[in-house]
mmCIF file of all heavy atoms in Angstrom:
data_model
loop_
_atom_site.group_PDB
_atom_site.id
_atom_site.type_symbol
_atom_site.label_atom_id
_atom_site.label_comp_id
_atom_site.label_asym_id
_atom_site.label_seq_id
_atom_site.Cartn_x
_atom_site.Cartn_y
_atom_site.Cartn_z
ATOM 1 N N TYR A 187 143.046 80.767 51.301
ATOM 2 C CA TYR A 187 142.831 82.109 51.829
ATOM 3 C C TYR A 187 141.795 82.910 51.056
ATOM 4 O O TYR A 187 141.505 84.045 51.401
ATOM 5 C CB TYR A 187 144.150 82.880 52.001
ATOM 6 C CG TYR A 187 144.946 83.114 50.750
ATOM 7 C CD1 TYR A 187 144.809 84.278 50.019
ATOM 8 C CD2 TYR A 187 145.871 82.178 50.318
ATOM 9 C CE1 TYR A 187 145.547 84.494 48.884
ATOM 10 C CE2 TYR A 187 146.620 82.389 49.184
ATOM 11 C CZ TYR A 187 146.456 83.553 48.475
ATOM 12 O OH TYR A 187 147.192 83.765 47.345
ATOM 13 N N VAL A 194 150.290 76.851 48.632
ATOM 14 C CA VAL A 194 150.951 75.582 48.916
ATOM 15 C C VAL A 194 152.413 75.877 49.239
ATOM 16 O O VAL A 194 153.096 76.560 48.477
ATOM 17 C CB VAL A 194 150.866 74.625 47.705
ATOM 18 C CG1 VAL A 194 151.540 73.308 48.008
ATOM 19 C CG2 VAL A 194 149.432 74.415 47.293
ATOM 20 N N SER A 210 161.861 73.857 39.052
ATOM 21 C CA SER A 210 160.426 74.085 39.255
ATOM 22 C C SER A 210 159.883 73.011 40.178
ATOM 23 O O SER A 210 160.560 72.030 40.486
ATOM 24 C CB SER A 210 159.658 74.077 37.928
ATOM 25 O OG SER A 210 159.754 72.828 37.292
ATOM 26 N N PRO A 219 134.462 65.119 46.349
ATOM 27 C CA PRO A 219 134.643 63.676 46.403
ATOM 28 C C PRO A 219 134.458 62.999 45.057
ATOM 29 O O PRO A 219 134.727 61.819 44.917
ATOM 30 C CB PRO A 219 133.539 63.236 47.362
ATOM 31 C CG PRO A 219 132.441 64.216 47.108
ATOM 32 C CD PRO A 219 133.132 65.523 46.767
ATOM 33 N N ASP A 221 135.596 64.134 41.799
ATOM 34 C CA ASP A 221 136.538 64.373 40.706
ATOM 35 C C ASP A 221 137.437 63.159 40.530
ATOM 36 O O ASP A 221 137.939 62.607 41.498
ATOM 37 C CB ASP A 221 137.414 65.596 40.997
ATOM 38 C CG ASP A 221 136.645 66.894 40.965
ATOM 39 O OD1 ASP A 221 135.496 66.895 40.493
ATOM 40 O OD2 ASP A 221 137.197 67.911 41.408
ATOM 41 N N MET A 259 153.150 66.875 45.652
ATOM 42 C CA MET A 259 154.133 67.749 45.012
ATOM 43 C C MET A 259 155.345 66.934 44.593
ATOM 44 O O MET A 259 155.611 65.871 45.159
ATOM 45 C CB MET A 259 154.595 68.843 45.984
ATOM 46 C CG MET A 259 153.521 69.818 46.382
ATOM 47 S SD MET A 259 154.184 71.108 47.452
ATOM 48 C CE MET A 259 155.177 72.025 46.287
ATOM 49 N N ALA A 265 167.638 67.345 34.938
ATOM 50 C CA ALA A 265 167.755 65.927 34.575
ATOM 51 C C ALA A 265 166.441 65.177 34.679
ATOM 52 O O ALA A 265 166.318 64.057 34.182
ATOM 53 C CB ALA A 265 168.801 65.248 35.461
ATOM 54 N N ASN A 288 112.689 82.319 42.710
ATOM 55 C CA ASN A 288 111.218 82.226 42.750
ATOM 56 C C ASN A 288 110.637 82.886 44.001
ATOM 57 O O ASN A 288 109.742 82.346 44.648
ATOM 58 C CB ASN A 288 110.755 80.773 42.655
ATOM 59 C CG ASN A 288 111.179 80.140 41.356
ATOM 60 O OD1 ASN A 288 111.163 80.794 40.312
ATOM 61 N ND2 ASN A 288 111.596 78.891 41.401
ATOM 62 N N PHE A 303 109.989 80.978 48.625
ATOM 63 C CA PHE A 303 111.146 81.055 47.734
ATOM 64 C C PHE A 303 111.798 79.691 47.671
ATOM 65 O O PHE A 303 111.539 78.820 48.504
ATOM 66 C CB PHE A 303 112.157 82.094 48.226
ATOM 67 C CG PHE A 303 112.703 81.805 49.588
ATOM 68 C CD1 PHE A 303 113.838 81.031 49.743
ATOM 69 C CD2 PHE A 303 112.077 82.292 50.729
ATOM 70 C CE1 PHE A 303 114.345 80.752 51.004
ATOM 71 C CE2 PHE A 303 112.577 82.016 51.990
ATOM 72 C CZ PHE A 303 113.712 81.245 52.135
ATOM 73 N N ILE A 314 128.526 75.353 53.182
ATOM 74 C CA ILE A 314 127.655 74.577 54.047
ATOM 75 C C ILE A 314 126.209 74.999 53.818
ATOM 76 O O ILE A 314 125.920 76.168 53.612
ATOM 77 C CB ILE A 314 128.057 74.787 55.521
ATOM 78 C CG1 ILE A 314 129.478 74.267 55.727
ATOM 79 C CG2 ILE A 314 127.091 74.111 56.468
ATOM 80 C CD1 ILE A 314 130.077 74.600 57.068
ATOM 81 N N ASN A 324 110.846 96.700 54.638
ATOM 82 C CA ASN A 324 110.831 98.155 54.737
ATOM 83 C C ASN A 324 109.413 98.637 54.481
ATOM 84 O O ASN A 324 108.937 98.566 53.348
ATOM 85 C CB ASN A 324 111.790 98.780 53.726
ATOM 86 C CG ASN A 324 113.233 98.462 54.039
ATOM 87 O OD1 ASN A 324 113.625 98.473 55.203
ATOM 88 N ND2 ASN A 324 114.017 98.158 53.012
#
Side-chain angles (χ1 to χ4, degrees):
Y187 61 94
V194 181
S210 62
D221 291 348
M259 295 183 71
N288 298 322
F303 60 89
I314 297 171
N324 293 320

